[in-house]
Amino acid sequence: MRFRPPGSDAYAGVLAFTTEDLDGLAADEVWADGRAMSPAAFRRPAEDAC
């Protein structure tokens, strides 16, 4: 996956998940680092990594 948010550098990443992973998510969860988490829990490490 590649994307370039307006006004920023281009990014590339790899996505890996199964339909079972996604089926197990609650409406307010995201899949990251091999597990379900809240959007807020995802943002903290994502901001630290960028």
Side-chain angles (χ1 to χ4, degrees):
M1 177 174 105
R2 294 181 186 277
F3 63 99
R4 183 179 181 141
S8 68
D9 294 327
Y11 295 90
V14 175
L15 303 175
F17 52 85
T18 66
T19 54
E20 289 82 12
D21 295 334
L22 299 181
D23 286 343
L25 292 177
D28 61 345
E29 292 181 315
V30 298
W31 187 260
D33 290 333
R35 63 188 175 95
M37 61 179 70
S38 71
F42 171 76
R43 276 191 294 277
R44 286 189 289 271
E47 288 171 354
D48 290 344
C50 294

